[in-house]
Amino acid sequence: MKMEGKLVLVTGGAGFIGTHTVVQLLKEGFRVSIIDNFDNSVEEALDRVKEVVGPALAAKIEFHFVDLRNKDDLEKVFAKSKFDGVIHFAGRKAVGESVEYPRRYFDNNLIGTINLYEVMAKYNCKKMVFSSSSTVYGQPEKIPCVEDTELKAMNPYGRTKLFLEEIARDISQAESDWQIILLRYFNPVAAHESGKIGEDPKGIPNNLMPYIQQVAVGRLPELNVYGHDYPTRDGTAIRDYIHVMDLADGHIAALKKLFTPDFKGCVPYNLGTGRGTSVLEMVAAFEKASGKVIGAST
Ligand SMILES: NC(=O)c1ccc[n+]([C@@H]2O[C@H](COP(=O)([O-])OP(=O)(O)OC[C@H]3O[C@@H](n4cnc5c(N)ncnc54)[C@H](O)[C@@H]3O)[C@@H](O)[C@H]2O)c1
Ligand SMILES: O=c1ccn([C@@H]2O[C@H](COP(=O)(O)OP(=O)(O)O[C@H]3O[C@H](CO)[C@@H](O)[C@H](O)[C@H]3O)[C@@H](O)[C@H]2O)c(=O)[nH]1
């Protein structure tokens, strides 16, 4: 299907998954408009995206420094351009922080997304790919989880994702012209092969992979391995890690599906590999690939 020239709005496009997805969107022929408030990213990430894609494709990116909670600013972006669809990454994502400061998560993730739906409706843009998370399955009794596994969020961050999924389902149920895909990511890791973009969160990383990376380059002294008595092969917790470029391609596939004439309603898809890796296996794989020893508390 020809995507040449279609204009996609990418919220949170300066972030980890956003930057990698923008690269793939441009390569597929889309034009990209990015909204970000640099809450967890830096402007340089967008310069790096431009370097990766080269000047011809870089000319197809526009950027708006906007916080989604500011509906007036958001409206100005929609008033300027007619978007063919939206990929919505923007939000906060740290589970621990969400337990300590739940209102931050309700404010950013819920209000920001509700504003986005309102403005999209007003400007008749009704195609959305939404960043959900495998966290909506809580601690599933049976793995691998499939899309109709029971949904059960276990912390404020997870609850925002679950609420936002319910909101998407309610909107598409009530208004049949919406087309929404909910992508439930497992654990995104790694970086673009150029090494020019990657995962570089502000402050001390919450996630395993960027933490290991910062130990490798000497920014952090050692990795604390959380938990050694899980019922797993080496006692450390197992996750399903998916390469961020595969995840980015998953967004292109989802977006293309929204442009097929027979797609209707709101549909969830898992984005993972179906394979589990323990924390210690992840450390060993990183050591092998990088040639560096990762100091880890045992
Ligand atoms: N990385 C993961 O492990 C993971 C797993 C499952 C789901 N997700 C979801 O995927 C999405 C993207 O995750 P990521 O890893 O790229 O995170 P990220 O923090 O790197 O990117 C999010 C981007 O959104 C921006 N942002 C946040 N709030 C905003 C607001 N109110 N207005 C405008 N911009 C705002 C941030 O500055 C950042 O650039 C998030 O919704 C996250 O919850 C991530
Ligand atoms: O310093 C660290 C950091 C993590 N871990 C462990 O490493 C594994 C992976 O942790 P992390 O990268 O934080 O992933 P999750 O806890 O699975 O949470 C991520 O994956 C979820 C499902 O996709 C998303 O919803 C969340 O936003 C995202 O933070 C877990 O067992 C952690 O206990 C450590 O041992 N030490």
Side-chain angles (χ1 to χ4, degrees):
M1 197 189 317
K2 216 162 152 40
M3 294 297 134
E4 209 62 47
K6 284 205 190 307
L7 179 60
V8 183
L9 177 69
V10 180
T11 75
F16 171 44
I17 307 170
T19 45
H20 293 80
T21 303
V22 168
V23 167
Q24 297 306 82
L25 282 168
L26 292 165
K27 288 195 172 154
E28 280 291 318
F30 290 98
R31 291 180 297 132
V32 177
S33 187
I34 295 172
I35 282 181
D36 207 297
N37 66 352
F38 299 130
D39 180 58
N40 195 36
S41 55
V42 290
E43 199 170 353
E44 191 191 342
L46 299 177
D47 298 334
R48 298 290 192 93
V49 166
K50 290 179 182 166
E51 267 181 54
V52 171
V53 299
L57 293 183
K60 296 182 178 178
I61 306 179
E62 59 178 49
F63 174 70
H64 307 275
F65 181 74
V66 166
D67 187 314
L68 288 183
R69 287 165 295 184
N70 186 329
K71 206 166 158 190
D72 292 341
D73 285 357
L74 190 56
E75 274 221 49
K76 285 182 195 142
V77 176
F78 276 79
K80 260 194 241 152
S81 311
K82 172 90 188 92
F83 298 115
D84 294 296
V86 174
I87 303 183
H88 178 34
F89 292 111
R92 298 183 82 96
K93 61 166 182 178
V95 172
E97 181 193 49
S98 80
V99 173
E100 209 173 338
Y101 304 104
R103 282 188 290 107
R104 274 188 203 167
Y105 280 70
F106 302 142
D107 177 43
N108 198 345
N109 297 5
L110 299 184
I111 309 277
T113 307
I114 291 166
N115 282 347
L116 182 60
Y117 277 120
E118 283 304 304
V119 177
M120 285 174 72
K122 181 164 174 188
Y123 288 85
N124 199 29
C125 169
K126 296 189 171 176
K127 290 184 190 348
M128 154 87 103
V129 178
F130 172 67
S131 295
S132 186
S133 166
S134 61
T135 195
V136 296
Y137 297 119
Q139 271 170 349
E141 272 156 32
K142 215 175 119 220
I143 50 170
C145 335
V146 288
E147 284 79 354
D148 58 6
T149 297
E150 190 193 349
L151 302 181
K152 199 167 37 179
M154 304 188 71
N155 53 64
Y157 164 70
R159 271 185 279 282
T160 65
K161 290 295 178 192
L162 190 49
F163 292 156
L164 290 169
E165 282 209 0
E166 299 294 11
I167 285 171
R169 281 186 276 273
D170 285 343
I171 290 176
S172 75
Q173 192 102 76
E175 301 167 33
S176 61
D177 51 347
W178 282 87
Q179 292 154 303
I180 305 175
I181 288 184
L182 309 169
L183 294 179
R184 296 178 182 152
Y185 316 151
F186 284 75
N187 289 57
V189 290
H192 187 264
E193 61 178 6
S194 65
K196 287 186 197 294
I197 52 173
E199 187 170 14
D200 190 18
K202 285 188 174 164
I204 296 178
N206 293 294
N207 296 108
L208 180 64
M209 188 71 160
Y211 204 104
I212 291 178
Q213 287 161 350
Q214 294 201 12
V215 173
V217 298
R219 247 198 256 173
L220 290 169
E222 66 169 9
L223 172 74
N224 300 307
V225 177
Y226 303 150
H228 288 271
D229 53 1
Y230 287 97
T232 62
R233 41 195 179 257
D234 60 20
T236 64
I238 287 182
R239 294 287 191 277
D240 177 343
Y241 296 94
I242 175 170
H243 197 291
V244 67
M245 293 309 292
D246 291 335
L247 197 67
D249 287 340
H251 288 78
I252 310 293
L255 200 54
K256 285 185 175 172
K257 200 166 175 75
L258 291 184
F259 289 112
T260 56
D262 53 344
F263 184 90
K264 293 209 171 24
C266 175
V267 183
Y269 290 98
N270 285 349
L271 275 184
T273 65
R275 285 188 307 274
T277 304
S278 74
V279 175
L280 293 182
E281 287 166 347
M282 196 65 172
V283 170
F286 193 94
E287 286 181 331
K288 190 168 168 214
S290 67
K292 303 232 177 188
V293 175
I294 305 301
S297 67
T298 51

